[in-house]
Amino acid sequence: MHFLMGMFWLGAVLAMISLYVAAAYWVYMAARWCGATWRASRSKETATMDPPFWRADDRKRIRSAIVIAVIAGITAYINQRATWMGEDNAHLQAKEYYVSGQVLNGFRQALTTVIHPDLFVMYPANALQWAICSQGSKKLPENDGEIGVWQNVWFHSHYSKKGRWQLGLNSGESSDKMRWLLDQWWFCLETMATRPFADKQMEEEHYLRDYPALVFSYERCKGFYSYKKIGSAQRLAMMPEHVARARQLSRWLWELPGKWQASLKAREFNAANPKIVALLQTDLLLELISLIQGEIHERKFGCDNESIQRYVAARKEFVEPVDGLPAYRRMKENDQGKSLYEIVIEDPGARSTKYIITHYCGIEVAGKEDNSKWMYVDVGKLHKRTPDEQSNNNARLNYQEEIEILEEQFNER
C-alpha cells in the first residue's frame, strides 16, 4: 500500500516537473516571439509580417524536454531508493514517501540555486512538497528525530544554504512569516537534538552535518521574534522564553562535538569540511553571548555560571585550538572564514561579553580584537583615550543597561 502511495506521489512529482518544463519553454517561446515582432517592426520589408508564436518543431522540443526531465526524475528516484531503503535503514514505510519527495526536492534545489524560494513560481512545487511531507511524516514515530531532518532538508535548507531571509524583508520590519519560519526552524533544531534516530544514516548524513548551518540561519534571524531585527539582542535578553532557548540551544551545540566523535563518518566529513566545525563554534559562542546577556537581566549572572565557563572555553577553542590551525582558518572559503572571525571576535556583542567577563570576573578571554581602526584610534584621540581604552568604553556603552545591573549586583557584595 505504501509503495503504491509512493508511486502516486512520484507520478505527481513528475507531472509537476513536466509542467515547469513546459512553462519554461512557453516563456522561451514568448520571449522569442516578442523579439521577432520587435525586429519585424524595425524593418520595412517585414513590417506587415506577423511572426508565428508556434513553430513547426516546438511541440517536438517540448515533448523531448519533458521526456528528458521524466527520465532524470525516475533515475533520481531509483538512486534515492538505493540510498534510503537499504537493510540498515529504518521507517521504510515512511521512506516510500521520502524517496519520492526527494525527487521534487532535488528539482526545487536546482531552481532555488538561481531564484529565491519565496518567488511565486515556487508556490506549486512548495505546496506539493508540503503535501508529501504531511502524508509521509505520519508514518514516522513521534519520538524519532527524522521528521526534523525532513523539514530541514525540504524547506529550510533552501534559505540556509545561501543565508537568505524572507523575500523583501529588511532588518527594520516586523514579519509574521519570518516568525513562522523561525518557529519551523526551532522545531527542527529541537527535534533533531532531543529525539533519537532509528535511521543512523539519516542522523549521520543530515543531522550531524546540517545542524550548524540551520542554527546559523536561526541565529541571524531570531531578532525578528522581538518584532524588529535592529537592536533586538537586548529585547530578546529580556524575554524569558528566548533566554531559555539560548540556554537549550547552547547546550545542544555543546554536546554536538561528542556526537561527532562517536561517528566515524562525521569525523571524516568534518576533517574534509572544516567549515562545519567553524560554524558550530560560531553558533555556540553567539548563543552563549545571548544566554549571558539574558542571565544579566534575570539577575542571575555569576562568574561560576556554566555559561561563562563554556564561553571562555569555546572562544579559546575557536582562536587557539590545541590541535593545529583554527577551523575558520582551514576553511577553503577564506572570506567566509574571516567573516566568522569578525562575528566571534570583533562584533560589539562579543566585545562587550569579553569586557564584562574580564572586568567583573577577572577571567582571561582568548582572542585579541583589532583596535587599530579609526573608531578606536581617531575617536580615542578626541577623548584623550588609548585605542584599548576607547574599545572598552564602546563595550560599556553597548551594554549600558547590563553594566548598570552588574554594578548594582557587584557593589552589593
Side-chain angles (χ1 to χ4, degrees):
M1 177 61 182
H2 297 292
F3 171 76
L4 294 177
M5 287 302 300
M7 295 305 296
F8 166 78
W9 287 115
L10 176 62
V13 167
L14 295 178
M16 177 69 70
I17 294 174
S18 298
L19 287 174
Y20 271 89
V21 170
Y25 194 84
W26 186 90
V27 170
Y28 161 74
M29 290 193 302
R32 183 186 63 189
W33 178 81
C34 289
T37 301
W38 180 81
R39 287 192 298 271
S41 67
R42 304 280 292 180
S43 172
K44 293 181 179 179
E45 291 79 7
T46 60
T48 59
M49 296 178 58
D50 187 13
F53 187 84
W54 286 90
R55 295 183 181 176
D57 56 352
D58 281 336
R59 287 183 176 83
K60 182 179 179 180
R61 288 180 177 178
I62 291 177
R63 285 195 299 267
S64 298
I66 290 174
V67 168
I68 292 172
V70 168
I71 292 174
I74 293 173
T75 302
Y77 174 78
I78 294 171
N79 289 336
Q80 288 296 314
R81 286 192 72 88
T83 301
W84 296 109
M85 299 199 70
E87 293 182 359
D88 55 344
N89 292 114
H91 313 314
L92 296 186
Q93 291 183 352
K95 289 296 198 300
E96 294 286 359
Y97 299 81
Y98 183 75
V99 296
S100 296
Q102 277 289 82
V103 178
L104 178 59
N105 186 58
F107 177 73
R108 291 170 58 243
Q109 287 279 9
L111 290 180
T112 56
T113 298
V114 294
I115 64 176
H116 196 281
D118 282 347
L119 286 177
F120 72 95
V121 296
M122 296 300 302
Y123 289 176
N126 293 345
L128 179 58
Q129 194 83 66
W130 272 113
I132 299 172
C133 184
S134 177
Q135 289 296 312
S137 62
K138 294 177 182 177
K139 315 305 175 187
L140 292 170
E142 290 185 3
N143 65 339
D144 196 284
E146 187 168 328
I147 181 57
V149 169
W150 284 33
Q151 289 201 19
N152 181 44
V153 171
W154 284 0
F155 305 106
H156 313 130
S157 66
H158 295 267
Y159 291 88
S160 63
K161 68 180 180 180
K162 286 198 172 184
R164 287 161 162 159
W165 288 5
Q166 178 193 351
L167 190 64
L169 185 69
N170 66 58
S171 58
E173 291 181 343
S174 171
S175 169
D176 290 338
K177 183 176 179 183
M178 191 68 247
R179 286 187 291 278
W180 177 83
L181 282 173
L182 283 164
D183 285 342
Q184 295 299 314
W185 293 353
W186 179 258
F187 169 80
C188 294
L189 292 171
E190 183 177 40
T191 300
M192 289 190 285
T194 60
R195 300 181 189 180
F197 282 80
D199 191 322
K200 294 305 177 184
Q201 183 182 358
M202 186 70 69
E203 179 182 25
E204 289 182 321
E205 295 189 13
H206 285 298
Y207 162 45
L208 297 184
R209 295 182 187 180
D210 299 344
Y211 203 79
L214 180 58
V215 176
F216 192 72
S217 291
Y218 176 84
E219 173 64 35
R220 288 179 64 250
C221 299
K222 69 179 184 181
F224 287 102
Y225 273 126
S226 72
Y227 292 86
K228 190 176 182 181
K229 180 71 167 57
I230 297 175
S232 60
Q234 187 181 80
R235 293 193 295 274
L236 290 178
M238 299 171 69
M239 299 167 69
E241 175 189 358
H242 293 287
V243 177
R245 283 194 178 188
R247 182 173 290 109
Q248 290 175 299
L249 189 49
S250 63
R251 184 175 72 252
W252 299 334
L253 290 165
W254 182 264
E255 295 169 351
L256 190 57
K259 298 178 181 179
W260 283 346
Q261 284 301 114
S263 166
L264 176 61
K265 283 186 177 180
R267 295 199 303 271
E268 292 176 344
F269 184 84
N270 291 348
N273 298 274
K275 180 179 179 179
I276 303 298
V277 179
L279 268 180
L280 169 73
Q281 294 171 343
T282 302
D283 294 337
L284 176 59
L285 287 165
L286 292 176
E287 287 303 318
L288 288 170
I289 288 172
S290 297
L291 176 56
I292 292 168
Q293 190 175 11
E295 289 175 338
I296 294 172
H297 285 277
E298 290 178 334
R299 273 65 176 178
K300 295 180 180 178
F301 178 89
C303 297
D304 295 329
N305 284 3
E306 186 177 68
S307 57
I308 300 294
Q309 304 306 314
R310 286 183 173 178
Y311 181 81
V312 173
R315 184 151 159 159
K316 184 173 180 61
E317 178 65 20
F318 181 83
V319 296
E320 301 172 4
V322 295
D323 53 350
L325 287 175
Y328 79 89
R329 291 184 59 186
R330 290 186 282 113
M331 289 171 54
K332 298 175 183 177
E333 307 87 349
N334 291 331
D335 290 343
Q336 293 182 18
K338 292 177 182 178
S339 295
L340 294 182
Y341 183 88
E342 289 288 324
I343 292 170
V344 167
I345 304 299
E346 302 289 354
D347 185 79
R351 284 174 172 263
S352 295
T353 301
K354 179 181 178 180
Y355 173 80
I356 63 173
I357 293 175
T358 55
H359 183 75
Y360 293 101
C361 300
I363 299 175
E364 183 179 354
V365 179
K368 177 65 177 175
E369 300 90 344
D370 180 7
N371 293 335
S372 64
K373 301 174 183 177
W374 69 269
M375 66 183 71
Y376 307 112
V377 177
D378 296 341
V379 176
K381 287 180 180 179
L382 291 176
H383 298 281
K384 298 181 179 180
R385 301 187 187 110
T386 66
D388 288 350
E389 290 172 339
Q390 184 62 37
S391 172
N392 287 336
N393 184 70
N394 289 358
R396 289 192 296 268
L397 288 175
N398 183 52
Y399 265 25
Q400 187 170 356
E401 290 188 29
E402 288 80 2
I403 296 288
E404 291 176 2
I405 295 171
L406 290 172
E407 285 294 312
E408 180 181 344
Q409 174 184 335
F410 280 83
N411 287 337
E412 289 178 353
R413 294 182 178 179

